[in-house]
Amino acid sequence: MANQRIIKKRHTTYLGEFLVDASQDESWKKKLQELKIEDKLDTAEVGFPSAFNAFFPETVGMELQYCIERVNLEDVPRAASCWWPVDESTHFYMAYPAGFPQTSIFMAIDFDDHSDCCG
């Protein structure tokens, strides 16, 4: 078995890619929208976004496990959120490797497609 440092590095390497894929996958967008504050999605239970293993086939067999939680804006470090455009339809998420929750990243997602604003 690989040591903890190597396992953490593998998880950290793909964490951002996982969060981006989750935010763009249609079934995951629905799951994310339905999360309540501090609820969590865990890949051990719900699997990965369909494109993740297709884009990163090298991850198959790495036993990666990630979690995404919906959080309040106040829980996001200012350094991670100072540039985000925020309105009432913006949701905030924290993603982290399940075994290394201190290694987290944050994302703001506006699920409104804004198609009615420019027509």
Side-chain angles (χ1 to χ4, degrees):
M1 182 168 155
N3 73 35
Q4 287 295 94
R5 188 178 68 73
I6 292 171
I7 293 169
K8 181 178 180 182
K9 184 171 177 73
R10 285 182 185 159
H11 277 83
T12 304
T13 298
Y14 296 99
L15 178 59
E17 303 295 347
F18 163 71
L19 185 54
V20 168
D21 284 355
S23 71
Q24 295 178 355
D25 181 278
E26 288 304 317
S27 68
W28 271 78
K29 281 202 284 193
K30 182 173 173 40
K31 292 173 189 175
L32 291 171
Q33 285 176 296
E34 293 171 350
L35 276 180
K36 304 290 184 231
I37 299 297
E38 297 185 8
D39 279 354
K40 155 176 91 167
L41 293 171
D42 187 329
T43 58
E45 298 170 8
V46 296
F48 280 84
S50 58
F52 184 78
N53 287 332
F55 288 140
F56 306 100
E58 67 275 16
T59 63
V60 175
M62 284 187 183
E63 299 180 13
L64 299 178
Q65 182 183 353
Y66 297 110
C67 298
I68 298 178
E69 293 183 25
R70 185 164 173 199
V71 297
N72 288 309
L73 177 59
E74 304 82 53
D75 299 325
V76 179
R78 180 159 172 71
S81 67
C82 62
W83 57 269
W84 288 347
V86 175
D87 64 30
E88 62 278 350
S89 63
T90 304
H91 293 200
F92 307 98
Y93 298 93
M94 173 178 67
Y96 54 91
F100 307 96
Q102 72 282 6
T103 306
S104 57
I105 59 172
F106 297 86
M107 179 181 271
I109 302 174
D110 183 353
F111 291 104
D112 186 354
D113 69 5
H114 301 283
S115 59
D116 58 341
C117 73
C118 307

